[in-house]
Amino acid sequence: MKLLTPTNEELSGLRADPLLWEQELDLQPNLAESIERSLGKRSGRVYWRSPHDHLYALELADLGRGRPSMALVYGMWDRYEPRPPEHEIDKDLIGFGVWFADQADGLDPSNLKRVLAHDRRQPSWPEGSVLRTPLEAFGELPDFPYEPRFAEVEGLQMAYVEIGEGAPLLLLHGEPTWGFLYRRMIPVLAKIGRVVVPDLIGFGRSDKPVPDNAYSYRSHARWLRQFIEQLNLESVTLVCQDWGGLLGLRVLSQIPERFSRLVAMNTAFPDGSELGAGFMRWRHYVQRLHELDAGSIVQRTLRRRQLSEAEAKAYRAPFPTADYQTGALTFPRLVPTHPDHPGAYENRVAIERLRKLDLPVLLPWGVADPVLGHLEPRMKAIFPNARSITVADAGHFIQEDAGEEVAQQISAWLDRSLTGRPEDSSR
């Protein structure tokens, strides 16, 4: 358990939820004094983040007996987000208990671990709380012959496809799509590297938690980060669009040592400022829905081509009923549109980290996108040395409108980056 010091801004957006309360700690003097030595204080708060990225506080109180007399553990939840799933909190408190036993004289953490192993009831997703679209639903996928692979992330299956060899290119989709979105780009990019295309949790062939509170900006970023670490991806070229950018850029700021290049297309990295009327119309539209038609949504954004019926069916395949769409329906309201919105503070911190990175950045941008098409200058503000490519008449899903064209641009750009040949002077 690594202690940290939250900023005043971060703490101002949190509410404290008491989880554990020990009122007679001083009745065990050795225990109380060892905790005081470990923390370097007899009273006050210390903070840490759990493996789930939740912030916790341990508060000690001195009642005048020469040692800590009372201890409370708080979950420091964002005031605008639901309380995290119970199994996540339970796992975090088990971790705290093991740490506490390790620090305290008279307690043996191995005993606690043995009890947990004997009990065999490790906190996990409750029965029926996670859905998995049957693979038969994906039986006919035009131009997408890739067999799915699966990584387990926090008890959830995260699907992905992989083709090619060499340095990895990580292709991240957004809402309400899945890896199928990149089928027109994969063949080109697979000639120059190892293409890895995951389905985000809640989408595609990945597992789909049903409860609303399973989904947060933080949880999506955590699942993606753990996926990258589990596959041990290094020297990654990140290719992202829509929510793939919101998540990919957050993760890039957290583990920058695993990335070497960035390609961002029609995406945003919101810090709590306004995103424009187009996005807000989309957000309000989805908030009124109880079920969405992914095929129709993709089709309405396209400017150069029409989806075939088979392609539209492939976009609908992950969502056989509305019960499977919690993630898709939740995504729009997770976008930070106000300074105190969940995720805004974390993104402001991430932006400062991203500005300090020295990595090549390419910005292919579909300018006919009414939702995020106007936000390319904001990406340039984060990455002022980025090379921009304007893709005329391409809409929000640039992978559908101009997939082969953009993939060729990325391939040529990567070739120049890898060989050291000079960039084209045109911007």
Side-chain angles (χ1 to χ4, degrees):
M1 195 171 80
K2 184 178 180 181
L3 301 181
L4 54 84
T5 304
T7 66
N8 290 334
E9 182 183 2
E10 183 175 16
L11 290 175
S12 70
L14 301 173
R15 70 176 189 271
D17 187 351
L19 301 172
L20 299 174
W21 194 339
E22 172 54 62
Q23 299 188 66
E24 297 180 328
L25 186 62
D26 55 296
L27 294 183
Q28 303 179 66
N30 291 342
L31 178 61
E33 290 167 5
S34 62
I35 293 299
E36 179 182 348
R37 286 195 303 271
S38 176
L39 299 180
K41 60 174 60 181
R42 186 175 298 173
S43 62
R45 284 187 175 185
V46 295
Y47 299 88
W48 72 94
R49 285 197 189 282
S50 73
H52 292 102
D53 291 342
H54 303 321
L55 184 65
Y56 291 87
L58 169 62
E59 182 176 289
L60 300 177
D62 177 8
L63 301 183
R65 294 167 187 161
R67 63 182 70 92
S69 301
M70 186 167 59
L72 296 92
V73 173
Y74 297 98
M76 307 298 290
W77 319 130
D78 191 296
R79 67 167 64 101
Y80 300 111
E81 273 188 349
R83 178 183 166 112
E86 290 299 324
H87 72 275
E88 293 183 3
I89 299 173
D90 289 345
K91 284 187 177 181
D92 291 345
L93 293 180
I94 287 172
F96 168 75
V98 172
W99 173 86
F100 192 89
D102 187 53
Q103 304 301 310
D105 291 342
L107 296 179
D108 185 350
S110 63
N111 288 337
L112 177 57
K113 293 177 181 178
R114 278 195 291 270
V115 169
L116 294 171
H118 177 74
D119 189 30
R120 297 184 183 280
R121 288 184 300 174
Q122 288 295 317
S124 60
W125 295 92
E127 185 175 354
S129 66
V130 177
L131 299 177
R132 184 173 300 164
T133 306
L135 290 180
E136 305 85 72
F138 302 90
E140 298 180 9
L141 300 174
D143 302 319
F144 200 74
Y146 315 108
E147 287 297 318
R149 307 184 185 192
F150 296 92
E152 185 169 313
V153 177
E154 293 185 10
L156 300 169
Q157 280 198 356
M158 191 165 180
Y160 67 102
V161 301
E162 181 177 321
I163 185 172
E165 298 179 352
L169 294 92
L170 180 65
L171 280 52
L172 301 181
H173 70 85
E175 182 213 11
T177 61
W178 58 290
F180 178 76
L181 176 68
Y182 280 98
R183 71 194 179 285
R184 298 159 66 85
M185 299 176 65
I186 291 174
V188 176
L189 299 179
K191 295 177 182 178
I192 59 173
R194 172 190 173 195
V195 175
V196 179
V197 191
D199 297 336
L200 299 176
I201 296 296
F203 297 83
R205 292 181 277 205
S206 292
D207 281 352
K208 301 168 181 67
V210 177
D212 286 359
N213 68 329
Y215 297 95
S216 66
Y217 198 151
R218 183 179 296 129
S219 64
H220 272 293
R222 186 178 74 244
W223 292 327
L224 177 60
R225 186 179 69 240
Q226 292 180 10
F227 172 82
I228 293 169
E229 293 172 340
Q230 187 174 141
L231 268 63
N232 195 27
L233 301 181
E234 296 180 333
S235 192
V236 176
T237 296
L238 173 61
V239 181
C240 55
Q241 179 263 346
D242 191 80
W243 259 99
L246 274 75
L247 296 174
L249 291 171
R250 172 79 72 85
V251 173
L252 170 59
S253 76
Q254 294 171 338
I255 49 173
E257 67 278 3
R258 289 187 178 268
F259 294 86
S260 59
R261 294 167 191 82
L262 168 65
V263 179
M265 311 175 293
N266 290 72
T267 188
F269 198 53
D271 59 2
S273 53
E274 280 290 331
L275 291 179
F279 172 77
M280 295 309 295
R281 282 195 297 270
W282 160 248
R283 181 173 180 160
H284 292 154
Y285 168 73
V286 175
Q287 286 177 327
R288 294 193 297 269
L289 296 179
H290 298 289
E291 186 173 2
L292 54 78
D293 183 336
S296 296
I297 288 172
V298 172
Q299 179 59 72
R300 289 202 299 269
T301 74
L302 301 186
R303 298 296 178 265
R304 294 188 181 184
R305 62 185 301 270
Q306 293 285 317
L307 292 180
S308 68
E309 182 52 41
E311 289 171 327
K313 183 179 178 181
Y315 280 116
R316 298 182 184 113
F319 311 120
T321 68
D323 293 336
Y324 291 77
Q325 295 187 351
T326 305
L329 292 170
T330 300
F331 250 156
R333 63 180 171 85
L334 299 183
V335 178
T337 55
H338 300 285
D340 56 359
H341 194 284
Y345 169 79
E346 289 92 336
N347 277 6
R348 289 194 290 271
V349 172
I351 286 171
E352 294 309 308
R353 293 174 183 164
L354 293 171
R355 283 176 172 153
K356 297 175 183 177
L357 297 182
D358 181 20
L359 78 168
V361 179
L362 182 68
L363 302 176
W365 218 261
V367 295
D369 174 5
V371 178
L372 301 179
H374 63 291
L375 294 181
E376 189 263 355
R378 293 201 194 181
M379 297 300 294
K380 288 280 285 189
I382 301 174
F383 304 105
N385 296 322
R387 182 181 180 219
S388 297
I389 299 176
T390 297
V391 185
D393 301 325
H396 181 66
F397 293 108
I398 190 172
Q399 302 96 319
E400 280 288 356
D401 265 333
E404 296 94 337
E405 174 187 337
V406 171
Q408 292 289 357
Q409 293 273 15
I410 294 171
S411 179
W413 176 74
L414 281 173
D415 180 62
R416 288 190 293 268
S417 175
L418 292 170
T419 61
R421 292 194 288 118
E423 290 273 7
D424 189 327
S425 60
S426 62
R427 295 277 170 168

